[in-house]
Amino acid sequence: MSEDLGMAIVELNRDEALDMVKRRCEKGENPLHLLDECRRGMVIVGERYQKGEYFLSELMMSAELFKGVVEILDPYLAKTRPSKPRGKVLVATLRGDIHYLGKDLFAALCKAQGFEVYNLGVDVAPQLVVDKVKEVKPDFVGFSALITSVFAAMKEASEMLEEAGLRKHFKLMVGGGISTPMVKEYIGADFQTTDAMEGVAYCMKSIGGK
Ligand code: B12
């Protein structure tokens, strides 16, 4: 049997994937490596869906499978986390956009690296971001963008945060398949990426320099 977790997810082999995660964790493998294999698998699933090789049902099955894997990994990941949180990360997909797979992957990776994560979900109103930033006082705010129509809501949120005098207290990040350096400029973010691992690395580097 192959030990490639990413491919087990791509092939939607639920039992095989979950067994493999348990077995490899018990053997003492680094849970972060397993999470990264999942990430690669989820990206391939997205590509297959786009090419028409997978349908919505397969996409949803892979998302459920990913959640199951994260549940098993969580206690193992907890052992790798520092006892004190490294910092706080707030993530959201804003109004008009319901894609969540990439956002949740980024959130899981941040959590795995010891950040306290506040995941506001999808189709989030800019005002809710402002309210939560006031309440939580995060070090990082990450927006996930998968459709172009969400750019306006991200800009609105960024401007509202500025007007509320909150913007200087955190780094604003934007990720997701259609984010680009131009989108970063447009919404006034500090960082942009289409790779969750790069996003986590940015948080680690920025917090290290605090
Ligand atoms: C899966 C999917 C769906 C699923 C969403 C399931 C879900 N709940 O998440 C469903 C079927 C529901 C869906 C619906 C729609 N979709 Co859709 N969808 C996709 C698809 C195929 C994959 C997206 C995905 O999950 N990829 C896998 C993840 C892991 O990748 P990712 O999100 O890029 O995330 C990675 C990084 O970007 C990063 N990341 C993500 N977020 C963040 C945030 C931060 C802060 C950081 C640091 C990193 C980070 O981490 C991840 C790992 O590295 C894409 C095409 C594609 N290949 O991208 C189209 C796509 C995004 N969808 C599209 C469209 C148009 C739609 C619909 C409007 C379709 C319709 N006509 O109904 C609706 C939108 C409804 C809405 N209002 O949002 C378009 C958007 C086009 C555009 N430019 O606006 C795309 C690009 C397809 C296309 N080429 O036309 N979709």
Side-chain angles (χ1 to χ4, degrees):
M1 193 195 290
S2 150
E3 286 289 285
D4 186 339
L5 178 58
M7 279 327 282
I9 290 180
V10 172
E11 302 300 337
L12 302 170
N13 291 330
R14 187 180 172 83
D15 293 345
E16 185 191 325
L18 298 182
D19 281 353
M20 195 189 298
V21 178
K22 282 183 204 146
R23 210 174 41 247
R24 289 175 59 183
C25 281
E26 278 160 13
K27 270 205 249 159
E29 244 186 86
N30 186 341
L32 285 170
H33 293 165
L34 294 171
L35 202 55
D36 194 46
E37 281 184 29
C38 281
R39 180 187 63 84
R40 282 187 266 127
M42 293 304 287
V43 171
I44 297 173
V45 170
E47 287 166 359
R48 288 197 181 179
Y49 176 77
Q50 198 171 7
K51 283 191 224 152
E53 292 167 10
Y54 273 5
F55 296 106
L56 186 56
S57 53
E58 283 147 331
L59 201 65
M60 292 309 165
M61 277 167 73
S62 70
E64 281 305 307
L65 182 45
F66 171 66
K67 277 188 194 162
V69 169
V70 172
E71 270 168 33
I72 299 175
L73 282 179
D74 206 46
Y76 295 94
L77 289 167
K79 290 183 200 154
T80 69
R81 285 176 208 140
S83 51
K84 195 169 157 274
R86 279 185 208 276
K88 295 179 188 174
V89 182
L90 188 143
V91 291
T93 301
L94 295 194
R95 191 180 56 215
D97 190 347
I98 57 153
H99 297 84
Y100 66 74
L101 298 176
K103 167 181 65 61
D104 285 3
L105 249 166
F106 172 62
L109 288 168
C110 284
K111 205 173 158 201
Q113 287 294 353
F115 288 92
E116 205 171 301
V117 176
Y118 297 82
N119 189 340
L120 304 190
V122 297
D123 199 20
V124 172
Q127 184 62 50
L128 181 66
V129 177
V130 177
D131 294 345
K132 281 286 171 187
V133 167
K134 272 187 197 153
E135 180 192 325
V136 166
K137 300 184 181 56
D139 303 286
F140 302 94
V141 172
F143 294 149
S144 184
L146 270 298
I147 55 173
T148 40
S149 52
V150 80
F151 295 165
M154 294 196 301
K155 189 174 173 62
E156 194 182 324
S158 170
E159 286 172 354
M160 286 168 80
L161 287 160
E162 189 73 59
E163 278 160 26
L166 299 165
R167 181 61 187 87
K168 54 185 174 292
H169 299 300
F170 61 84
K171 299 277 187 202
L172 181 61
M173 311 164 72
V174 57
I178 55 148
S179 67
T180 61
M182 260 170 75
V183 175
K184 173 188 154 222
E185 294 308 316
Y186 176 67
I187 70 163
D190 300 294
F191 180 78
Q192 178 274 329
T193 181
T194 52
D195 180 338
M197 294 296 274
E198 274 182 22
V200 179
Y202 173 78
C203 294
M204 304 271 277
K205 197 167 148 234
S206 308
I207 213 91
K210 263 193 154 188

